[in-house]
Amino acid sequence: MNPVPPNPSQNPAAAATGAAVGPTTAAAGPSSSPTFSPLYQQIKALITQSLQSGEWKPGELIPSEVELANRFKVSQGTVRKAIDELAAENLVMRRQGKGTFVSTHHEARAHFRFLRLMPDEGVPHYPESRFIEVKRMRAPADVARLLDLKSGDAVIFIKRVQYFDGVPTIVEELWLPGLTFKGLTAERLVEYKGPMYGLFESEFGTRMIRAAEKIRAVCADAGAAALLQLAEGTPLLCSERVSFTYGDKPVELRRGLYSTERHHYQNDLN
Amino acid sequence: MNPVPPNPSQNPAAAATGAAVGPTTAAAGPSSSPTFSPLYQQIKALITQSLQSGEWKPGELIPSEVELANRFKVSQGTVRKAIDELAAENLVMRRQGKGTFVSTHHEARAHFRFLRLMPDEGVPHYPESRFIEVKRMRAPADVARLLDLKSGDAVIFIKRVQYFDGVPTIVEELWLPGLTFKGLTAERLVEYKGPMYGLFESEFGTRMIRAAEKIRAVCADAGAAALLQLAEGTPLLCSERVSFTYGDKPVELRRGLYSTERHHYQNDLN
DNA sequence: AAGTGGTCTAGACCACTTT
DNA sequence: AAGTGGTCTAGACCACTTC
């Protein structure tokens, strides 16, 4: 145990590193390796692995800092710094006195992280969905490219309209890798209430952690106008969004048309 | 337990707090105050004050962590945590081996933090401006409300077009509080090269640190269409942005119309 | 009372930059 | 060699939650 270390000045990092973490060491000896990686980054990677593998599932409590420090044979401070970064990236949530929880999309807090359309007046409600089409198909070239698939690979295609307080506001099309979301059916989508990302997380073990969005302005064509109950030619926001799961793997392409008659896209630049 | 330390465990934080930081103490005695504020937050506030007051100007080096720790009579670790947060908020930039610098808008890195319009192809260039109108006026009610002024207060109005690689892409109107930007003239704007925020920072001591943006889709009216050399009715992104300086004080209202023929608004959701 | 995350300290050493 | 930020440790204590 060595509770009262008589040893004055060995390098504790080196000892700990050699004991539990890989040889990609932080301070092993006189010559440091060219691919230097801080200990806490290695710990962060290990924790991320456990999150990705499902060892700790969304909503669950992860082991305490002290426990993780013992497991990895590092100090609590090092674990803390690793978890700090994971919390900053919204992979986990810390709660003083209770512990650290795996983030989940089954939470009001998470609902508006990816949906930035806000009502001009009143408090935001989560929209209701009406599914128009759900089918399996082969990935067109552009979809394949964005999802890191081969052209012609199986994908699931979804088209739906979203209603805010009964008003049709968003029409969007989604493409999902068929392999990752094998077994996703229209019935399952319709019966599931709440954000699709919650379903993906619970039923398919795939958690969206990041997204890249590109926005343009377009005019509503006949189809979109009909679905959104607007005049043809009405200006709409056109969003193309690619969402990523662990390892920066793209697992969703979403193309949406947003009516901004009563809503606006909100963005805070920090 | 207390195995080793002969030190009669006084609370060092309390001592330090009483010595240099305000009475809003972290751990002064048996009963903690209801308005608890960690030491590092107090240090952060003090550093922010020095930034705001101009004691350290944009681009300059601030005192080292050791020096600040001595000044405030706290440990280096506490200063470090304060600066960590300031760096996360883009108020300062750390550079290993050199020191910590006050952030500035006179930097390529900062140019695209508030301007999210990216070319569909090719690398982003900073646009050139053509000023159409610069005048002093009285704030309309809506402008006054957003800038936290009284209706009728003096404001500076600016209208300009921005060109990317010679193509007119943005037409925008700005309103600035007359008091803060007293002496801002069309001549000064025209002769100044580079982002306006650099001018505001250098000449008026006002640094934008945050902005809130709302985006809609609209159709180009005759005026916008002419300036952007587009057909009337072309869909445009319509942005309303309020920028804030220290103390969450709003100091700029900007309403822009963005052509998305060859550009798109880019947003990363983390 | 016990366990968790949150704060604070003190000291050591590393990586990077400049002198 | 000296100075800066960056990492790591060990230990103390605080605030919060639960038992």
Side-chain angles (χ1 to χ4, degrees):
Chain A
M1 296 309 278
N2 243 334
V4 187
N7 187 335
S9 68
Q10 64 167 18
N11 184 335
T17 302
V21 183
T24 309
T25 177
S31 73
S32 63
S33 73
T35 55
F36 166 76
S37 167
L39 235 195
Y40 77 89
Q41 288 287 3
Q42 303 174 40
I43 302 300
K44 183 183 168 189
L46 290 173
I47 296 174
T48 303
Q49 276 183 20
S50 291
L51 293 171
Q52 180 173 6
S53 75
E55 180 180 341
W56 312 313
K57 300 208 184 316
E60 286 182 6
L61 200 56
I62 76 171
S64 74
E65 295 179 355
V66 175
E67 203 172 327
L68 290 171
N70 291 336
R71 175 191 302 197
F72 298 130
K73 297 281 181 282
V74 299
S75 78
Q76 184 183 353
T78 299
V79 171
R80 166 160 280 275
K81 179 141 189 176
I83 294 180
D84 276 345
E85 291 206 353
L86 293 172
E89 294 168 19
N90 288 303
L91 295 188
V92 299
M93 274 184 43
R94 325 189 71 147
R95 284 198 235 160
Q96 191 176 22
K98 302 181 79 171
T100 301
F101 297 80
V102 183
S103 295
T104 170
H105 288 289
H106 299 279
E107 272 188 358
R109 188 184 164 285
H111 290 178
F112 295 94
R113 191 153 74 88
F114 292 93
L115 178 59
R116 305 290 266 266
L117 207 65
M118 294 291 173
D120 293 338
E121 293 169 22
V123 295
H125 295 354
Y126 207 83
E128 293 187 2
S129 286
R130 194 186 111 224
F131 290 92
I132 295 177
E133 191 175 0
V134 180
K135 67 175 182 185
R136 300 179 60 82
M137 60 182 285
R138 302 204 167 275
D142 61 330
V143 172
R145 184 175 50 80
L146 291 166
L147 290 179
D148 207 10
L149 300 173
K150 283 195 288 292
S151 203
D153 279 358
V155 293
I156 297 168
F157 171 82
I158 299 171
K159 183 169 185 175
R160 68 167 175 175
V161 178
Q162 286 182 283
Y163 296 75
F164 289 83
D165 293 318
V167 180
T169 306
I170 300 176
V171 47
E172 62 185 3
E173 300 178 328
L174 292 80
W175 291 263
L176 304 163
L179 220 56
T180 308
F181 294 95
K182 186 174 292 190
L184 178 60
T185 63
E187 290 67 34
R188 194 70 195 87
L189 281 167
V190 170
E191 85 187 28
Y192 185 83
K193 299 302 175 196
M196 266 198 284
Y197 282 2
L199 176 71
F200 295 167
E201 166 185 303
S202 300
E203 308 278 319
F204 300 92
T206 297
R207 211 185 120 69
M208 308 295 179
I209 59 180
R210 187 178 82 77
E213 191 169 32
K214 296 180 181 184
I215 301 172
R216 324 181 106 74
V218 299
C219 284
D221 62 17
L227 290 169
L228 295 175
Q229 299 170 20
L230 295 169
E232 199 173 330
T234 302
L236 301 172
L237 285 187
C238 169
S239 153
E240 175 176 277
R241 186 169 92 196
V242 179
S243 297
F244 300 83
T245 187
Y246 295 99
D248 256 355
K249 185 185 168 193
V251 283
E252 182 199 62
L253 169 62
R254 201 180 274 224
R255 289 186 177 139
L257 296 174
Y258 298 37
S259 163
T260 55
E261 302 283 310
R262 283 187 267 272
H263 295 76
H264 59 270
Y265 185 97
Q266 178 117 15
N267 200 20
D268 291 320
L269 313 171
N270 294 316
Chain B
M1 301 298 279
N2 237 338
V4 194
N7 186 326
S9 72
Q10 63 166 16
N11 184 334
T17 302
V21 183
T24 310
T25 178
S31 72
S32 63
S33 72
T35 55
F36 165 77
S37 167
L39 235 194
Y40 78 88
Q41 288 287 2
Q42 303 174 39
I43 303 299
K44 182 183 168 189
L46 291 172
I47 296 174
T48 303
Q49 276 183 21
S50 291
L51 292 171
Q52 180 173 7
S53 74
E55 181 180 340
W56 312 313
K57 300 208 183 317
E60 286 181 5
L61 201 56
I62 76 170
S64 75
E65 294 178 356
V66 175
E67 202 172 328
L68 290 171
N70 291 336
R71 175 191 301 195
F72 297 130
K73 298 282 183 282
V74 299
S75 77
Q76 185 183 353
T78 300
V79 171
R80 165 159 280 275
K81 179 142 188 176
I83 294 181
D84 276 346
E85 291 205 353
L86 293 172
E89 294 168 19
N90 288 304
L91 296 189
V92 298
M93 273 184 43
R94 326 189 71 147
R95 284 198 235 160
Q96 190 175 22
K98 301 181 79 170
T100 301
F101 296 79
V102 183
S103 295
T104 171
H105 289 289
H106 299 278
E107 271 188 359
R109 187 185 165 283
H111 290 178
F112 295 94
R113 191 153 74 90
F114 291 93
L115 178 58
R116 305 291 266 265
L117 206 64
M118 294 291 173
D120 292 338
E121 294 170 20
V123 295
H125 296 356
Y126 206 81
E128 293 187 3
S129 286
R130 195 187 109 224
F131 289 91
I132 296 177
E133 191 175 0
V134 180
K135 67 175 182 186
R136 298 179 61 82
M137 60 181 286
R138 301 201 167 277
D142 61 330
V143 172
R145 183 176 50 80
L146 291 167
L147 289 180
D148 207 10
L149 301 173
K150 283 195 287 292
S151 203
D153 280 358
V155 293
I156 297 168
F157 172 82
I158 299 171
K159 183 169 183 174
R160 68 166 175 176
V161 179
Q162 286 181 284
Y163 297 75
F164 289 83
D165 292 319
V167 180
T169 306
I170 301 176
V171 48
E172 63 185 2
E173 300 178 330
L174 291 81
W175 291 263
L176 303 163
L179 220 57
T180 307
F181 293 94
K182 187 175 292 191
L184 178 60
T185 63
E187 290 68 34
R188 193 73 194 84
L189 282 167
V190 169
E191 85 187 29
Y192 185 84
K193 299 303 175 196
M196 267 199 284
Y197 282 2
L199 176 71
F200 295 168
E201 166 185 302
S202 299
E203 309 277 320
F204 300 92
T206 297
R207 209 186 122 69
M208 308 296 180
I209 59 180
R210 188 178 81 76
E213 191 169 32
K214 296 180 180 182
I215 300 172
R216 320 182 113 72
V218 299
C219 284
D221 60 17
L227 290 169
L228 294 175
Q229 300 171 17
L230 296 169
E232 200 173 330
T234 302
L236 301 172
L237 285 187
C238 169
S239 152
E240 175 175 278
R241 186 170 93 196
V242 180
S243 298
F244 300 82
T245 187
Y246 295 100
D248 257 354
K249 185 186 168 196
V251 284
E252 182 199 64
L253 169 62
R254 201 181 274 224
R255 288 187 178 138
L257 296 174
Y258 298 34
S259 163
T260 55
E261 301 283 310
R262 283 186 267 273
H263 295 76
H264 59 269
Y265 186 97
Q266 178 117 14
N267 200 19
D268 291 319
L269 312 171
N270 295 315

